Amino acid sequence: MRLLLQLSLQLRESCYQMKNNDVVKILYEIADILEIQGVEFKPRAYRKAAQNIGSMSQDIEQLDNGGSLQDIPGVGVAIAKKIHEYLSTGKLRYLEQLRIQTPVKVEELLSIEGIGPKTIKKLYDQLKIKNLFDLKKAACSGKIRKISGMGEREEFNILRAIEFSRSYHKRVLLGVAKPIADAILVDLRQRFSSIEHSISAGSLRRAKESVGDIDILVTTSDPGPIMDYFTRMKSVNQVLAKGLTKSAVILDNKIQVDIRVVSDASFGAVLLYFTGSKNHNIALRKIAISKKWKLNEYGLFDERNKQIAGHTEEGVYQKLGLDYIEPQLREDTGEIQAALCGELPKLVSLKDIKGDFHSHSSWSDGSYSIGDMAKAAISLGREYLVMTDHTGVLKIAGGLEPNDFKKQWREIDALNKQFSKNDFMILKGCEVNIMDDGKPDLPDSVLKKMDVVVGSVHHGFKNSSQKMTKRIAAAMHNPNIDIIGHFSGRIINKREPYQYDFDELLDVAKQTRTVIEINSFPDRLDLKDSDIREAIKRGVKLCISTDAHAIAHLSNMQYGVATARRGWAEKKDVINWMTAERVKEYFSP
Ligand code: DGT
Ligand code: CA
Ligand code: CA
Ligand code: ZN
């Protein structure tokens, strides 16, 4: 039932998730303020409810209308009442009171790496720090180091983290921007039958990990009503510009959206221009000039100013003597030369993906049972899902011990019997922690029995480069560790990668046949594009994984694939083309 609902609602995902996300945000804020106030237990309850709502696929407003909020795991009478108040009035008195009691800009402070609710409590209690401005001031005047548990190093790290978050805070994650852009496109198409083409362009189309703004391109013979509507959409907060060909707005969520509305004849040329990157466009224009032609957003023109291409992108590339270049490659990093020589890679695509190598269930910190996750993977067309719950030391993530895995395997065996009619298989795995000495936190005798083992660094991020390199290399040398998960450890806009010698580790990966993960989580996308390209050059194999902790996360595969494409990956470079049987064979020690 849950699954059917999920499928029928999938199309509307980007519209309805708006409210779900608002509720999640509010519950987290309550939890954070309560924790800062030193209240026990309650914060945990609010967080659990927030996590479950964040990962469910039903529309929370619909549940509320049906009076069934309390069907959500972790939502009892008290929390349901608050959600209902918020959904029906747009306000929550309880939270407003909390904010008055503890006037701290929680979200702002939490955005700084290394600062959690406990630290915020100390900072507020002892120094009355309420926001980033106060924090920076206190750090600069040496007050932070005087707080117990803090020192000069922590103070310096805070200052550095403030700078880091400043320099990035305006860019929006691809995984956040894409659903918003898609929802706008669907809405415009439904409202205006005069629209011929409609597509998002800019860095979003090139699938950069984060985008400065959303760029939308529409072709029509009747731009007026479209611009009127675009600048008055419900989600618009501010109109920056309004014209018949170009408009720009800022949405309530602070994201800027630019739109271009043009006639169909120049669609290809405008799309090419508006997709960028700027450097790619400049390089194309130079080729045109070398032929005594002119390329601009209206088309490609010959020496007599006659238009010779521009209706399609393909046409422009062809006339310039280039193979068609996929948007994800348009960064002027060698793609033009490759296109001239017929040497462009044949990029991996979503249809090449047979399986997912990293996922979690409610056995550890996931929100759904193994069976539910598997059914969702089947509905996405996957042939297998590697279940990789957390192990031992990760207690907060419900890490499993050897005996738990024995029980889990029995469940998986039973499920696999059931799913064999779907030609689908759950593979047995785990996400083992790579300890400081590079050893896994589960005995090799247990790991040996698994189909696929992902090894990840989940603590000790501040190891020196030398130590971290040794640590990860040791894990790669363990024949039972097959894949290294979220390799760099970065959280985009929040946490920098840890230090290590990438060159050396690529050598070790190649030598030990260790696969490196491309984690598809929107705030990880780890490895990043340029590192993927380097790994491929060095002959290291990759896998694209969702690291799903909930059904909805399984669809993040699209972002992993897009990132792989930005890294010039072909089908043969990512092992997701393999069947389940082939994967088992590939990783058998
Ligand atoms: P972003 O938004 O910072 O993530 O990056 P883009 O690439 O989306 O840049 P944006 O939104 O400023 O402009 C969209 C596209 O328009 C860009 O990729 C290429 C084109 N474009 C913008 N400004 C220029 C320019 O000054 N020269 C050229 N040749 N193209 C430009
Ligand atoms: Ca843009
Ligand atoms: Ca723009
Ligand atoms: Zn994981």
Side-chain angles (χ1 to χ4, degrees), residues 491-510:
I491 306 288
I492 302 173
N493 294 354
K494 289 212 173 122
R495 189 169 79 203
E496 291 175 88
Y498 16 84
Q499 305 287 312
Y500 50 75
D501 186 332
F502 192 47
D503 273 348
E504 193 178 325
L505 288 176
L506 286 179
D507 283 342
V508 182
K510 173 101 205 276

Side-chain angles (χ1 to χ4, degrees), residues 34-48:
L34 288 174
E35 186 154 356
I36 292 162
Q37 295 183 343
V39 178
E40 285 191 68
F41 307 120
K42 273 194 187 175
R44 219 185 125 89
Y46 278 99
R47 285 209 180 99
K48 194 76 210 164

Side-chain angles (χ1 to χ4, degrees), residues 358-360 365 388 390 431 456 458 486 517 519 547-549:
H358 185 164
S359 69
H360 298 271
D365 62 347
T388 53
H390 291 288
E431 182 180 16
S456 300
H458 281 128
H486 42 73
E517 174 181 275
N519 190 295
D547 197 357
H549 284 66

